[in-house]
């Protein structure tokens, strides 16, 4: 099986035209005509992730976040991105990113988050059509049973293993309708209110965005990494279904740069 076949399977699910204009999804390093020895799945590409791919005999790394986001003016090993590029090229490892195209795809990142927290009747929060393909930012759905604010926050904390959830003022009414957008999704707050959401879940938000939503909806910010950690499950399902027989490995290397130390 060629590396190109693995990439093609991913892009059939989440075509590159679905990505945002500022993004850099798709193949970043490598030759697609090479035989695929295995795929390592991760959220971020670090030196440790490439080392894990080498150790496990995988010559494809499939990440959610692009390694190369801005043009590289030199490759000298002066920063982590350059060092990863050097190591990947040296060991013939292809790196592909499925970023906002996977965020915007039906069945993509936000649908996986909705599945994890138990939402039903899930639909796109801000639908649009790109090249005839339905896609969009964020999703909204219904909880199986309504919850008060603290019960909902505890539920989210448990699902995402996120002890440091940031919230606005606790909502006084029950939470039933939930909107969400993985990663940095604060731009979708107005859409969530307009859609009648009781709560809005995302990965990170700017400080001033918390103001003005008191008793309009419950804001829950779980952390960027935490919100998107299940994206590798989507990659796994696609590749194991479309590229049967290929070794597919979930990366064990922890790449979240944010810690929550206890005193």
């Amino acid at each position: 099986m060629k590396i190109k076949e693995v990439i093609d399977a991913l892009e059939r699910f989440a075509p590159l035209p679905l990505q945002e204009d500022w993004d850099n999804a798709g193949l970043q390093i490598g030759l697609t005509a090479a035989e695929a020895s295995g795929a390592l799945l991760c959220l971020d590409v670090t030196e440790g992730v490439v080392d894990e791919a080498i150790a496990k005999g995988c010559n494809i790394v499939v990440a959610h976040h692009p390694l190369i986001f801005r043009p590289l003016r030199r490759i000298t090993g002066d920063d982590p991105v350059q060092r990863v590029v050097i190591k990947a090229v040296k060991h013939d490892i292809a790196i592909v990113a499925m970023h906002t195209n996977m965020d915007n795809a039906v069945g993509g990142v936000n649908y996986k988050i909705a599945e994890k927290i138990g939402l039903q009747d899930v639909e796109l929060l801000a639908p649009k059509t790109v090249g005839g393909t339905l896609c969009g930012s964020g999703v909204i759905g219904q909880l199986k049973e309504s919850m008060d604010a603290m019960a909902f926050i505890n539920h989210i904390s448990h699902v995402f293993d996120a002890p440091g959830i940031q919230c606005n003022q606790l909502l006084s009414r029950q939470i039933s309708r939930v909107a969400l957008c993985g990663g940095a999704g604060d731009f979708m707050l107005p859409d969530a209110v307009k859609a009648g959401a009781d709560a809005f879940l995302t990965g990170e938000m700017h400080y001033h965005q918390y103001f003005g939503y008191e008793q309009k909806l419950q804001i829950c910010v779980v952390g960027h990494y935490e919100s998107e950690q299940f994206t590798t499950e989507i990659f796994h399902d696609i590749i194991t279904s479309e590229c049967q027989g290929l070794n597919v490995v979930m990366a064990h290397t922890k790449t979240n740069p944010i810690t929550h130390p206890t005193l």
Side-chain angles (χ1 to χ4, degrees), residues 4-73:
K4 184 180 186 303
E5 295 177 68
V6 180
I7 297 173
D8 286 347
L10 291 164
E11 292 184 4
R12 280 194 297 271
F13 185 94
L16 290 183
L18 302 190
Q19 70 179 306
E20 301 295 335
D21 293 340
W22 46 262
D23 201 7
N24 189 38
L27 179 69
Q28 306 215 309
I29 297 172
L31 303 176
T32 61
E35 291 289 331
S37 62
L40 185 76
L41 316 179
C42 62
L43 201 65
D44 312 284
V45 187
T46 64
E47 289 185 83
V49 167
V50 176
D51 287 337
E52 185 176 349
I54 294 167
K56 293 180 177 176
C58 298
N59 64 352
I60 313 169
V61 172
V62 180
H64 182 46
H65 296 138
L67 169 68
I68 301 172
F69 203 77
R70 297 175 180 84
L72 296 177
R73 296 182 180 275

Side-chain angles (χ1 to χ4, degrees), residues 222-234:
V222 301
H224 196 123
Y225 178 94
E226 286 81 1
S227 72
E228 297 180 330
Q229 64 185 289
F230 305 114
T231 303
T232 52
E233 294 182 12
I234 306 172

Side-chain angles (χ1 to χ4, degrees), residues 71-92:
L72 296 177
R73 296 182 180 275
R74 62 189 64 84
I75 303 177
T76 60
D78 285 343
D79 61 48
V81 172
Q82 293 180 41
R83 291 192 290 274
V84 171
V85 170
I86 291 169
K87 183 170 288 190
V89 171
K90 181 178 179 180
H91 291 275
D92 296 320

Side-chain angles (χ1 to χ4, degrees), residues 116-254:
K116 292 294 181 179
I117 65 175
L119 294 188
Q120 300 176 325
D121 303 321
V122 177
E123 57 187 11
L124 291 166
L125 182 57
K128 60 183 178 181
T129 302
V130 175
T133 300
L134 178 65
C135 61
S137 301
V139 298
I140 189 166
Q142 298 286 138
L143 290 170
K144 294 177 183 178
E145 295 182 1
S146 61
M147 305 178 184
D148 63 36
M150 275 310 305
F152 179 73
I153 292 166
N154 287 334
H155 172 58
I156 296 302
S157 177
H158 174 73
V159 169
F160 294 94
D161 190 20
I165 293 179
Q166 294 180 303
C167 304
N168 63 342
Q169 182 185 89
L170 292 182
L171 196 68
S172 59
R173 68 176 187 271
Q174 291 286 102
I175 293 171
S176 179
R177 190 163 170 80
V178 179
L180 63 88
C181 182
D186 56 8
F187 68 98
M188 300 221 69
L189 267 167
D191 297 280
V193 172
K194 185 178 179 180
D198 301 308
F200 177 71
L201 169 69
T202 191
E204 62 176 281
M205 276 180 48
H206 292 88
Y207 171 78
H208 292 285
Q209 286 292 88
Y210 287 86
F211 288 99
Y213 292 96
E214 297 83 4
Q215 298 307 315
K216 288 185 179 179
L217 82 173
Q218 184 67 61
I219 294 172
C220 293
V221 180
V222 301
H224 196 123
Y225 178 94
E226 286 81 1
S227 72
E228 297 180 330
Q229 64 185 289
F230 305 114
T231 303
T232 52
E233 294 182 12
I234 306 172
F235 299 157
H236 185 275
D237 290 345
I238 294 168
I239 297 172
T240 54
S241 174
E242 299 294 321
C243 306
Q244 296 180 13
L246 181 68
N247 182 33
V248 184
V249 181
M250 297 284 203
H252 288 136
T253 303
K254 300 300 181 184

